[in-house]
Amino acid sequence: MKLVLAIYPGSFDPVTNGHLDLIERGAKLFDRLVVAVLQNLEKDPLFTVPERVEMLREVTRPWANVEVDVFGGLLVEYARHRNAQVLLRGIRAISDYEYELQMALMNRKMEPRIETVFMMPSETYSYLSSRLVREIARLGGPLHGLVPQIVEERIRAKVT
Amino acid sequence: MKLVLAIYPGSFDPVTNGHLDLIERGAKLFDRLVVAVLQNLEKDPLFTVPERVEMLREVTRPWANVEVDVFGGLLVEYARHRNAQVLLRGIRAISDYEYELQMALMNRKMEPRIETVFMMPSETYSYLSSRLVREIARLGGPLHGLVPQIVEERIRAKVT
Amino acid sequence: MKLVLAIYPGSFDPVTNGHLDLIERGAKLFDRLVVAVLQNLEKDPLFTVPERVEMLREVTRPWANVEVDVFGGLLVEYARHRNAQVLLRGIRAISDYEYELQMALMNRKMEPRIETVFMMPSETYSYLSSRLVREIARLGGPLHGLVPQIVEERIRAKVT
Amino acid sequence: MKLVLAIYPGSFDPVTNGHLDLIERGAKLFDRLVVAVLQNLEKDPLFTVPERVEMLREVTRPWANVEVDVFGGLLVEYARHRNAQVLLRGIRAISDYEYELQMALMNRKMEPRIETVFMMPSETYSYLSSRLVREIARLGGPLHGLVPQIVEERIRAKVT
Amino acid sequence: MKLVLAIYPGSFDPVTNGHLDLIERGAKLFDRLVVAVLQNLEKDPLFTVPERVEMLREVTRPWANVEVDVFGGLLVEYARHRNAQVLLRGIRAISDYEYELQMALMNRKMEPRIETVFMMPSETYSYLSSRLVREIARLGGPLHGLVPQIVEERIRAKVT
Amino acid sequence: MKLVLAIYPGSFDPVTNGHLDLIERGAKLFDRLVVAVLQNLEKDPLFTVPERVEMLREVTRPWANVEVDVFGGLLVEYARHRNAQVLLRGIRAISDYEYELQMALMNRKMEPRIETVFMMPSETYSYLSSRLVREIARLGGPLHGLVPQIVEERIRAKVT
């Protein structure tokens, strides 16, 4: 029997219902799933990294084998350090598909023992991205159905 | 008989011959076509929003059912406010096709009563975008055939 | 005020819920919508052309401005003969997008006065095509939610 | 701890080095991997289904948790019957990517409990497909490096 | 100084104005350009291979360094036999781009000394293909501007 | 016999093994190949333009017909000034393919006598770009196999 640890990396600024859909699918498939927030220096974030981690912990509480963590530097080094075998990425018809493959090939070049595995979120979320959510939030548009309830409330508190 | 009001949104910095080709097609199909300039805060615009509006009014004068307007905030809220049934977008083989579909699905999610409709500009303009025009303008390259005569003159006046 | 007649051409072997979704959107936008079944000689059809027409008439009965017709030969000649201004085509992220644009440009070359207009079906139907329905039907798989009720019954009667 | 059974379906006419690369990756990740040969009625096969199965058994012998099987009818019914949780598919930059997503969404619609998971073969095999191998075989071209040694010998025996 | 021989392979059933546009560009760039008609067994050709060759010879007469030839079997073997350094292929935004790259990589795998070089026909011909021309010809549609004059006459003579 | 001068333009910040692969292919095909470094004002370059030129000169020393140069302003004006007939661009399955075609069509519009010619680097480098190299360099990741030896040393000296 194999014990597979998978890492689901991203900015999660903020976590969307599309991310959550993928987390649920990954949690069913892998023994342990680490949602890993990239500590990068974005120009104009909506939430700080600690805020994102807190919201992710809140919304992933239903899955006992899901953990939230933060990483900086190279993803493959973090994955090696965690003894992960898998990098999990979402893939959609409407998406930066080619960029995903490019990153996956580069990561394999740097660490051939770690595999990138792609899963599809529900087609209901094919239009959804954190960037779009941030845009709509800033313009005061409706976020219902796009992000978890708790994120919606935080955004409203922040923007108002 | 239906009275259809369509909105053709964009930055139009500046309006190109490709935009004009699409405006002509839209003006034939819809009862009223509103060319709506997005009042965003781009980093490095070539023309101010009032200048863009003025040039658009000049070049769309031949079509009696075309109107030029400015909007800020969410596009679907502006469309609702104008009682529009249609968002018109150009679609090209060489284009950010997937981004267009993503925006259209998101707009439908926020306002299901408004439809995004795609039309093709002439293939003569398949290479043309405002961004390319700005780049060529800044490098002093030839703009003949890419933008209307009046825009060409304005750019020459501005850049020199 | 403009009176716009649009043609929605296809094989419709059989009509799917994705087609129906697009017909509903087109019926709202255009004054008259003709669903035009192509009388081609496919190798291995599931339904005859008269059967397809009958089912289409049944499922489009709710829309008073929708008509079902049959055509052979060149689409643009049929459109000219019907005095149509618009060819309506569905467009999806998962689709033969480039083929659609190629056909639209060719049709414009042959008849510049007729415009091809693209609309999106609901993302719920992004995976759906008549070809997939025929395949599943032949393998005895479940068709619920993919085609209208009446088509489901006809297929069951036919395949059993 | 989870016991994950994955199915890798295909025609495998013949198995290529690209397939083998993916089988190796899948065998590392999943507890059990079933290579499932589709029993369809192709017009002009190079090998019979029993011949394909025999070659697959030969080349997958190194992996103890890989099994070769044959299936007919709907893939999701076969997967359900085998109690599989995963359908494994290869994904490449040069590939029928959109078709893959379409099939995956349709399979999910028919059986939501089974996930399609995509993995990348080595970029060395990005140009490789069974169809190309059959074409080259029929024209007497060189197959070295494209298929396993044993397949190369069988093709030579067959074509000569 | 280099003497470069390039091969432009295809079915040319029939030669279109898009092919001719590319031949003109290739003839300017390479010392010698061989237009090579593939002798395959298509199911339902419009013209026989000798007819295609004859028409190609007629329409390429203006270029002294262009030659028309026929080949069977593997393209790279023919190229090797002709001592060609280059395979010339047209590339368009609306085209089977990925298939082109797949063939080019496979050809390089079989013969690394021969390079595939891609050039763009005029965007005027972005919608044009031999298959579309055959379809329109069979339906009696207008071919003016799609194929050279002499091909148009031959098709009219053949179809009537 | 033709004397063909080709220009291979880019930022080359820094030159990668993928660039070098393409330079080798171009040097074989064309009489003279000019690697032309664009003197733009990037926000956050890794190397200055003179440093890039120096490294390019070092790594292209093996090819006698390759020259390194710098240009500003419009590429087609530089090409005209150099009496070049060809612009050489790399093309990959994983790449900004559509942007490449758009630029090529625009360049043709401005200067129809200069052709853009596309060649494929080895599929080994399909994941490689200067941007990715800069990212990995900044995170201290391994660059072996991605860039020439001399570039690797310079980066190490710079970053440490």
Side-chain angles (χ1 to χ4, degrees), chain E residues 73-99:
Chain E
L74 274 183
L75 174 58
V76 290
E77 267 179 29
Y78 172 71
R80 212 185 282 139
H81 162 75
R82 293 294 311 249
N83 287 317
Q85 297 96 313
V86 167
L87 300 175
L88 176 63
R89 297 292 296 164
I91 201 163
R92 303 178 299 178
I94 303 181
S95 80
D96 34 7
Y97 165 57
E98 300 206 326
Y99 178 73

Side-chain angles (χ1 to χ4, degrees), chain B:
Chain B
M1 235 168 303
K2 297 173 181 191
L3 255 173
V4 181
L5 173 72
I7 288 176
Y8 179 38
S11 288
F12 302 103
D13 182 27
V15 58
T16 69
N17 284 342
H19 295 137
L20 217 53
D21 179 280
L22 208 78
I23 289 169
E24 183 171 359
R25 295 177 194 281
K28 275 190 198 136
L29 195 59
F30 301 109
D31 295 287
R32 190 155 192 81
L33 181 68
V34 179
V35 181
V37 181
L38 173 62
Q39 195 146 30
N40 59 354
L41 298 165
E42 278 172 59
K43 279 154 289 181
D44 199 11
L46 190 60
F47 289 105
T48 65
V49 168
E51 285 173 327
R52 295 179 219 169
V53 168
E54 193 204 330
M55 283 184 287
L56 275 166
R57 290 218 171 106
E58 181 83 16
V59 297
T60 60
R61 200 174 294 163
W63 299 284
N65 63 332
V66 173
E67 172 197 337
V68 181
D69 196 7
V70 171
F71 77 103
L74 274 183
L75 174 58
V76 290
E77 268 180 27
Y78 172 71
R80 213 185 281 141
H81 161 76
R82 294 294 310 248
N83 287 317
Q85 297 94 315
V86 167
L87 300 175
L88 175 64
R89 298 291 297 164
I91 202 163
R92 302 178 300 179
I94 303 182
S95 80
D96 35 6
Y97 165 58
E98 300 207 326
Y99 178 72
E100 286 293 334
L101 289 194
Q102 191 182 21
M103 289 306 302
L105 282 169
M106 185 53 108
N107 284 331
R108 178 182 285 167
K109 159 84 187 160
M110 291 192 288
E111 177 48 274
R113 286 168 305 171
I114 298 175
E115 286 290 337
T116 299
V117 157
F118 297 97
M119 295 177 79
M120 285 183 315
S122 166
E123 75 272 20
T124 318
Y125 304 119
S126 54
Y127 51 81
L128 198 50
S129 73
S130 292
R131 193 172 62 78
L132 272 180
V133 166
R134 288 198 300 272
E135 247 177 78
I136 296 170
R138 277 167 186 147
L139 296 168
L143 291 167
H144 193 72
L146 307 183
V147 292
Q149 177 78 21
I150 180 187
V151 176
E152 207 183 330
E153 286 160 14
R154 291 285 181 93
I155 289 175
R156 211 159 349 182
K158 181 150 275 194
V159 173
T160 338

Side-chain angles (χ1 to χ4, degrees), chain E residues 14 22 53 60 143 157-158:
Chain E
L22 208 79
V53 168
T60 60
L143 292 165
K158 180 150 278 196

